[in-house]
Every structure is written in C-alpha cells, then in structure tokens.
Amino acid sequence: MIDLQALTQAVGDLDEKTIITMIEDFVATNPSGEEAQKIVFACQQGMGIVGELFEKNEYYVGDLIFAGELLSKTIDLLKPVLNDVATEKVGSIVIGTVQGDLHDIGKNIFGSMAEAAGFDVYELGVDVSPSAFVEKVKEVKPQIVGMSGVLTLAIDSMKETVKAITEAGLRDSVKIIIGGNPVNEDACKQIGADAFTTNAAEGLKTCQGWVS
Amino acid sequence: MDTKYYTTWEEYLAEHPELEGKPEQAIAPKIVKYEDAMFTFIMDLLL
Amino acid sequence: MTDAIARTNERNQLFKDLFSGNTPKRVPISNPATQDFAIQYAGLDLAECQWDLTKLEPVYDKFCQDFYTDTYPGGSIRIPSHYQILGSTPIVMSSSGFMQHPDVVGMLAEEYDEFIASPYDCIVETILPRLYTEFNGPPGKVAMALAKAMKAQADDLASLGAIRAKMNAKYGFATMVGALTEAPFDFMSDFLRSFKGISGDVRRYPDKVAAACEAVLPLMIKKGTLPNPSMLGYTFVPLHMAPYLREKDFAALYWPTFKKMVETLAGMGQSVQLFVEQDWMRYIDYLYELPENTIMRFEYGDPKLIKEKLGKKHIISGLYPVTLLQTGTKQQCVDKAKELLDILAPGGRYWWQADKSIIHLDINGPVVENLRAVLDYVHENGTY
Ligand code: B12
C-alpha cells in the first residue's frame, strides 16, 4: 500500500520523480475509486505544504507554477481509477483574467490551489469580457467570482465587470475577489470587489472563509 | 559566435577571393553593416 | 543657437552628469506614458495610427507639448507591419489595436542540446519557423517574406526617427541612443521556453538551463552593444524572472551570465539601464555587485533601503507608482513625488521615472491630470 504521508511530503518537496513513480505504482495495483480518492487528498495536503512554504518565502512563483503542473499531471494519471467517485465540493468559483489582459500565470496558480482545496473551479481563460463573466455566473451560479489581472488597465476592466454583474442583478448572489500585481485596497474599493489579494494562498483563505 | 548565419569580415573575405585587391576599407563596413542589421532584426523578433 | 538647441545641450549635460556619477543641475525626468497612450490622448485610432505612421506627427506634437519630459517620450514600441508580414504569433495586435505579447513556446525542452550547440543556428532553423509562420515554406518565399519585413521595419523606423528628430528640434529633448537586450536567463524564458516552461526546466534540467545561458551570452552582449560606446545613451535591459526564483536557483542560473553581460557592456564604456521589474529586494546585495553607475529603474522596493544600499554607487530611478495616478487625487500624487524626491535626490544619482510604463489611457479617468501635475512638480522642484 502506498505511503500517503510520504506522498504528501513528496508533493510538498515538488519531487517529481518520486511522485510519479508512487502514483504509477499505485495505479498499477488497480485500486478502487475510494482508495484513489485518498491519494488525491494526500496530494492536496502536499499542495497545502507548498502554499505554506510559499507564504514563508521558501518557495517562489516559479515553484508554484511547477506545483500546478505536477498536480494536474498526477490527476491525469489518477483519472482512469477515479471514475465515478462523487467528490465532495466545498464551493464553486468562476475565475478569469479580465478583458484586455492576457496574463494568466497568477490566475492559474490560484485556480489550481482552489481546485486542490476542493473548490469547483470554472475557468474562463484570459481576456474575458464583462458579459462573458455575467453569462457564466448566470449559468453555474457560483458563490465566488475571482478576477485576475496584472496590467494596470485591468483595474478598469474589473470595474466594468463588477458593473455588469451588478446590472445583471447578480451582485448580491456572489462574493467577488480580485487578484494580481496592481490590485490594492484603493483599487478594490473603486472596483467594488469584496476582497483583494496579491497572494494566492491568502486569497484562498478568504474564499474558504466565505463558504465555511 | 559559432553559426552558419553570421559571418565576420575575415570569414567573408576568405570565402570571396574575387574581392582581393578591391578597396577593403570601403567594402568591409558595408558588408558588416548588413550582417549586423540582420542579426539585430532577427534578435528583435525574440525580444 | 535656437532655444531648442540650447535646451538639448542643457539636457544632454544633465544626463552626461547623471550617467557618469556627477550630480546634475536638477533631477532629469522621463514621461512614463507610451505611444499608445499618446494616440489615445490625441483621440485617434490605435490600429490606424500604427499602420499609417504619418498620423503620428501631430500625436507626438500634442504629447510633447502637454507633458513635461527631458527625454523623447513614447517608450518601447512595436510597429505592426513587419510582424504582420512575417506571420507573427508572439507579437500580435489585439482587437483594440494594442501590440501585445501572448504566451508562446518557441523552443521545446528536447531542443536544449541543439540550442546549446549553436544558439543562433537553432534560432534561425527551429525557433523562428515555430513562432513566425512565414519562415516556413519554399526557400524563395521565405527569403521574400524576410526581405519585405526588413524593408518595412526599416521604413517604419525611419518614419518614427524623422518625427523624433522634428520633436527634438522643436522641444529640445536630450538626444540619446539606445540598444535593447535581455539577461540570458530572461531571453531563454520569454519567447523560447515561456514563463511556465522555464519554471519546470529549472527543476528538471538545471544544467541545461545553465549551459543555454552561457551559450547565448555572446549574442545578448552583441545585441546590447551601442553603435559607439561613447555616445550618450544606454542599453536597456528589462529584467523578468529573478523574483520568481528561489535564491539558490537565481544564484546558480540567473545571476552569473547576467552579471557577466552587464560587466562586459559597462567595460566597453557604455551605460546600462536595468528595468528592475517586480520585487528584487531580497537580491539587493547582488545588485550592489554590478558596475558603478549602472542605472537601475525599480518597480518595487523600499526607497530608503535602495538609496542607502545602492545610492552611492548606482543611479536610482523608478518607484513612482503609476497606479496612484489612476486612483489617487492630484494632491496625493504630488505628495508621493515629493516623498520620493526627498528620499532619493539628496546626494545625486536619481532620475525621475515611474515604476511602470503607462500603456493605456482611460479617457474618463484622472491619469492625464495627475500625470501632468506630477511631471510639472518634479520639473519645478527636482533639486538634489
Ligand atoms: C510573465 C509576464 C508576462 C508573460 C505572461 C505569461 C502568462 N501566460 O501570463 C508575457 C511575456 C506573455 C507577458 C506579456 C505582456 N506583458 Co507582461 N509581465 C509578466 C511579468 C514579468 C510577471 C506577471 C506574472 O505572471 N506574475 C506572477 C504572478 C504569479 O503574479 P500575480 O499575477 O500577481 O499573481 C499572484 C497573486 O496576485 C494572486 N492572484 C493572481 N490572480 C488572482 C486571482 C484571484 C481570484 C486571486 C484570489 C488571486 C490571484 O496569485 C498569484 C500567486 O500569489 C510582469 C511583471 C510584474 N511586475 O508583474 C509583466 C507585466 C505585467 N507585463 C507588462 C506588459 C506591458 C506586458 C505586455 C503588454 C507587453 C507587450 N507590449 O506585449 C504583454 C501583455 C499583453 C496583454 N494584453 O496582456 C507590464 C504591465 C505594465 C502596465 N502598465 O500594466 C508588466 C508589469 C511588466 C512591467 N514592469 O512593465 N508578460
């Protein structure tokens, strides 16, 4: 049987070879969906370690990007044995990089951390127009909308997006969090978001607070 | 630079014996200028 | 001598003093807004003006007239015609007419060895055909596309150069030349491996990353060399990846070839301006190692700490937050300029620039008014 603690640690260490070997060996034993679920949980805890090390300035953005890549690789490996297991979701988030901005690294990091923490993440991609946000919110009724942007013009697009969500009568049904390098308290107020962050781990905590 | 796509004047001259005895001081800067212009153009495509 | 020529001479002297470590008569200023901003400020169409460059002369005239600056404004510009002719994927015009750089991968991880053996061959044979569609196809067509593109770019640069010369003659800006290059590690990241790709490479094959940086170093030095090192001007080096690395990776993979590059350029007698993007504060002691009078335009950091650590050896710039121009009142904006002047100007070695370029204008926002107030304030009060 796979050593879950060792797996968690390997994810925390971003030790790709160990992780992949462990998962491949595990999948080869033809495990049940429930067992596979435990593996996913161990990986999520490993991502938690990554997030902590990031907050402590032992890991940096490059490490987070790599961590995100590793996580999706492991989930891909596990997919065949994860079939049909109903997973419990803690909440749902629609995320996207706002109109005019193509930067998605920060958004993806936050997205994979939120997913690892058990959120249903609806990913809209980059250069997302206010109306595309509105449509998605209508469709999936998330608890949270996360907007990302690193260009200074993203501030204007975020403002437009909140306006569109408000005009569609949806503002009271969602919490809105914004992230990315140029966001700050003043910008957050002007935009009309509920929270802002320049740190994905901190943003995740805010979101967890909202849905708990 | 170890490459097929950039030639120094010395290398160029060695490959072009027909230039022997021609006014090198007028020819060299011109050949080098376009060699460098191409280098800058190419590199700018990746910056 | 006309007024404008006298002003050019005076401003050239400011920068000659600044770049050589002497204290200039006052703090020189560069307007952080770009050509895109100028076009929007003139109320014209972004796409049209970038294709028809004759439209830009009145644009620049108004821009130069209305915003104080000692250097020709406009920022780095990418002109669309040659990118279009070459079928560019890494630089494309957005629907609003903004020339933008989407994330691309020009080189695959499997291609490191080929790159290390000859970076320039790999660029020409493998990377460019992947990124620019017109580098593929029958040799005759490729040759013609390249010829058209080079001619188009040369024509465009000549048009922009003519406008610049007119504005210099009218407004008396400092006349500086420039070259552009990157740190070898950043070059490997930006168009070749991508931000994501390199982040994995650093963990998977650090030796290859290091070897690739060494291999490409001579190209980056050559690219950054000014036509003549004694000319007034600088090599501009935007720095990208360091803040995203662990110090261990930075020290092993980023720093060695970057340092060699700056030292070599400075050793030829020319100025180097680093655009120190993102937060480099944990690397501030490394920055101290760079040659005397290296210009460092910071995006982030504690101005006091920067002044204290680097202010006697290097030339400090940047730090003024352009987001404040978007969100602050005029008074807050001017106060911020004063605060930075008070910290950074004493003792010299300070050049007023903002932390970022202003690449976009929201007509209804306060930026125009705030920016003008700040530029005027620094012009009138920028004593060392
Ligand atoms: C990497 C990068 C690129 C890459 C982007 C690759 C990609 N796929 O995203 C490439 C090379 C493609 C690129 C292109 C451009 N870039 Co760029 N780029 C950067 C750079 C170096 C880093 C940005 C980044 O990814 N940071 C790392 C991430 C992890 O940080 P982050 O986004 O802040 O995210 C963190 C938190 O904020 C949070 N977070 C982020 N989003 C969200 C969302 C939610 C909901 C939550 C909760 C949290 C959260 O989590 C993350 C982890 O903690 C910055 C420099 C800088 N100082 O930011 C310039 C920068 C943003 N770029 C800039 C520019 C100008 C451009 C271009 C316009 C250049 C051009 N002329 O083409 C184009 C953009 C085209 C466009 N329309 O968007 C400027 C912007 C200036 C301005 N005034 O706005 C910057 C600031 C560089 C500079 N100093 O001048 N760029």
Side-chain angles (χ1 to χ4, degrees), chain C residues 27 337-346 350 377-378 381-383:
Chain C
V27 176
K338 177 173 187 324
E339 179 192 320
L340 286 171
L341 268 175
D342 288 346
I343 297 169
L344 294 169
Y350 174 49
Y377 178 83
V378 179
N381 300 279
T383 48

Side-chain angles (χ1 to χ4, degrees), chain A residues 40 43 70-80 82 115:
Chain A
V40 174
C43 290
L70 277 185
L71 193 74
S72 46
K73 224 168 157 180
T74 49
I75 301 288
D76 282 349
L77 286 174
L78 287 170
K79 260 188 193 140
L82 265 174
E115 216 167 276

Side-chain angles (χ1 to χ4, degrees), chain C residues 110-332:
Chain C
E110 308 76 279
E111 288 159 356
Y112 266 108
D113 291 336
E114 181 193 338
F115 185 87
I116 292 162
S118 171
Y120 201 55
D121 284 3
C122 181
I123 285 171
V124 173
E125 293 169 0
T126 306
I127 296 171
L128 289 178
R130 187 171 287 131
L131 295 179
Y132 290 85
T133 59
E134 300 309 302
F135 275 98
N136 301 279
K141 272 198 92 174
V142 173
M144 285 186 195
L146 186 56
K148 284 184 280 188
M150 269 192 89
K151 173 72 174 135
Q153 193 212 32
D155 287 349
D156 286 350
L157 291 177
S159 305
L160 292 175
I163 297 174
R164 184 183 180 128
K166 278 190 193 164
M167 296 304 132
N168 282 346
K170 184 165 173 188
Y171 296 98
F173 297 126
T175 45
M176 293 202 272
V177 295
L180 172 72
T181 192
E182 271 189 319
F185 187 96
D186 286 330
F187 182 76
M188 294 312 300
S189 310
D190 282 355
F191 284 64
L192 272 51
R193 293 295 296 128
S194 86
F195 198 115
K196 291 173 210 175
I198 200 86
S199 300
D201 298 349
V202 162
R203 291 197 170 254
R204 293 195 182 108
Y205 355 87
D207 297 347
K208 294 199 179 194
V209 175
C213 290
E214 282 292 344
V216 84
L217 174 64
L219 278 71
M220 303 326 290
I221 292 171
K222 183 169 169 56
K223 182 66 181 59
T225 305
L226 293 180
N228 175 345
S230 65
M231 290 165 122
L232 180 61
Y234 53 80
T235 300
F236 187 69
V237 189
L239 306 180
H240 289 149
M241 290 300 300
Y244 306 117
L245 301 174
R246 289 181 297 177
E247 181 169 348
K248 161 173 163 276
D249 297 328
F250 171 80
L253 303 176
Y254 192 103
W255 182 249
T257 48
F258 168 55
K259 180 162 183 260
K260 262 188 239 169
M261 184 181 90
V262 178
E263 284 172 346
T264 307
L265 292 170
M268 296 191 292
Q270 59 177 72
S271 301
V272 176
Q273 178 177 185
L274 309 178
F275 184 12
V276 186
E277 296 185 30
Q278 263 286 350
D279 189 348
W280 276 65
M281 287 307 104
R282 64 193 161 104
Y283 300 131
I284 197 161
D285 294 331
Y286 286 88
L287 290 175
Y288 182 77
E289 308 262 299
L290 293 175
E292 194 182 354
N293 295 333
T294 302
I295 306 155
M296 301 181 187
R297 172 183 172 192
F298 285 91
E299 184 174 359
Y300 278 95
D302 172 3
K304 289 204 183 96
L305 183 74
I306 291 172
K307 180 75 177 173
E308 182 194 309
K309 291 247 185 187
L310 307 174
K312 292 199 173 62
K313 184 174 178 190
H314 301 110
I315 296 152
I316 310 301
S317 188
L319 292 169
Y320 189 93
V322 301
T323 46
L324 184 64
L325 301 173
Q326 276 177 302
T327 58
T329 64
K330 210 169 176 173
Q331 192 58 46
Q332 285 170 324

